[in-house]
Amino acid sequence: MDKEKVVILCGGMGTRLKEETEFKPKPLVTVGQFPILWHIMKIYSHYGYNDFVLCLGYKGEMIKDYFLNFEDRVRDITLNPKTGKKIHLGKNDMPDWNITMVDTGLLSNTGTRVKKIQNYINEDNFMVTYGDGVANIDVNKLLEFHKTHNKIATVTSILPPPRWSFLKMDQNNKVFGFSKTEKLPNAWIDGGFFVFKKEMFDYLPENEDFMLEKEPMHKLAEQGNLMSFQHHDFWQCMDTHRDMEFLNQTWESGKAPWRVW
């Protein structure tokens, strides 16, 4: 049986990271040597999911170009300019990925993008995530949870890390410390890393532009068809320049939690 496909939303304009996204799509903003999109794909690939569908939009041609020339980018090359002959040197450790790249519209919202790749999904279940967030999530456990509860949709919920320090206070409001590591209890938010049954496409209307997180998810919740897979460990999106710096510093430290491979 074929493994589930992984759909990655790569089409947004990334306006809050304009320093980078003015020149490239956000999924190609680098963390270390590689784009964050590569990091996301490596997470899924580690668990054996190697069939990807990329929903392209803003500067999508750059993502196509990146993967069409991937081997040239990451391996040493001997090139003869006259003959055009080139030889890739060193160990051939290219990822064994099948990548379907689909133009889903320049300004399309997330739900519209997923609807537009319906013809590329033949499996009973498929996974969807955002092209700008990483986590040390166990994808196999996520999928097992989804199949066990037998509902149409699963969203991974996370407790977001605080952007500012919390004041630690006693009952008399005396401050005795600060914390940037504690998380707000019960403040679970959508962390991406969705799993859907194929019936999810019935909730995505034709010829409309809509957000996946709005009407479709609300309807699923009202029907009792949406479950939450709680991820208590590391999760981080790249929404701002500060997020980008944090991810790069974490990667360069050699202790990036999302590096499960």
Side-chain angles (χ1 to χ4, degrees):
M1 180 182 294
D2 292 337
K3 284 209 167 191
E4 289 75 7
K5 287 189 174 69
V6 180
V7 177
I8 306 180
L9 297 164
C10 300
M13 300 187 76
T15 53
R16 282 177 286 188
L17 192 59
K18 195 172 182 180
E19 304 94 327
E20 297 287 332
T21 58
E22 184 176 355
F23 308 104
K24 66 181 75 168
K26 186 158 64 164
L28 288 188
V29 176
T30 55
V31 176
Q33 180 185 356
F34 294 98
I36 191 168
L37 176 58
W38 176 89
H39 291 260
I40 296 166
M41 295 168 77
K42 286 285 285 185
I43 293 169
Y44 281 101
S45 182
H46 171 73
Y47 291 100
Y49 304 95
N50 296 302
D51 285 341
F52 298 95
V53 180
L54 307 185
C55 299
L56 307 183
Y58 174 69
K59 296 188 181 295
E61 70 281 356
M62 294 183 68
I63 295 177
K64 285 184 179 180
D65 176 74
Y66 180 82
F67 284 110
L68 286 169
N69 297 286
F70 185 77
E71 190 170 19
D72 288 351
R73 294 174 185 275
V74 301
R75 296 185 64 187
D76 295 336
I77 302 173
T78 295
L79 173 68
N80 184 310
K82 183 176 181 179
T83 65
K85 182 180 179 180
K86 63 182 176 183
I87 301 172
H88 292 101
L89 307 174
K91 183 180 178 181
N92 185 357
D93 54 357
M94 292 297 99
D96 188 12
W97 296 342
N98 298 308
I99 308 172
T100 302
M101 293 175 275
V102 184
D103 180 2
T104 56
L106 178 61
L107 301 177
S108 299
N109 274 305
T110 50
T112 308
R113 295 191 189 282
V114 175
K115 183 66 173 179
K116 287 187 175 183
I117 57 86
Q118 180 173 354
N119 291 338
Y120 299 101
I121 303 297
N122 300 311
E123 297 75 19
D124 292 335
N125 297 282
F126 65 104
M127 294 183 275
V128 176
T129 198
Y130 302 111
D132 64 354
V134 291
N136 59 345
I137 185 170
D138 188 324
V139 177
N140 284 335
K141 288 183 178 179
L142 165 63
L143 189 61
E144 180 183 355
F145 172 78
H146 173 77
K147 291 180 177 179
T148 300
H149 65 62
N150 202 33
K151 304 295 184 183
I152 289 176
T154 300
V155 56
T156 296
S157 55
I158 59 99
L159 291 170
R163 290 185 177 272
W164 299 277
S165 295
F166 288 135
L167 297 178
K168 292 187 173 183
M169 296 180 286
D170 64 18
Q171 60 187 5
N172 298 315
N173 292 329
K174 179 181 178 181
V175 177
F176 61 87
F178 301 83
S179 176
K180 286 203 70 172
T181 59
E182 294 183 17
K183 299 179 179 181
L184 289 171
N186 301 317
W188 296 93
I189 66 169
D190 165 12
F193 295 94
F194 303 95
V195 187
F196 298 132
K197 284 188 174 183
K198 197 174 181 183
E199 291 90 325
M200 181 65 187
F201 290 113
D202 297 335
Y203 290 77
L204 309 180
E206 296 274 5
N207 304 318
E208 293 183 29
D209 189 41
F210 57 94
M211 295 181 67
L212 180 68
E213 306 81 1
K214 293 291 180 70
E215 291 85 355
M217 288 297 186
H218 291 183
K219 187 174 181 180
L220 285 165
E222 290 168 2
Q223 295 178 349
N225 263 316
L226 177 62
M227 296 291 287
S228 163
F229 178 81
Q230 292 187 341
H231 177 64
H232 294 264
D233 210 336
F234 180 88
W235 174 94
Q236 180 65 52
C237 68
M238 184 167 31
D239 204 30
T240 66
H241 191 268
R242 183 165 77 168
D243 296 333
M244 183 190 74
E245 289 183 335
F246 170 76
L247 285 168
N248 273 280
Q249 290 167 3
T250 305
W251 179 260
E252 290 164 7
S253 73
K255 299 177 181 179
W258 70 89
R259 187 170 186 170
V260 292
W261 58 90

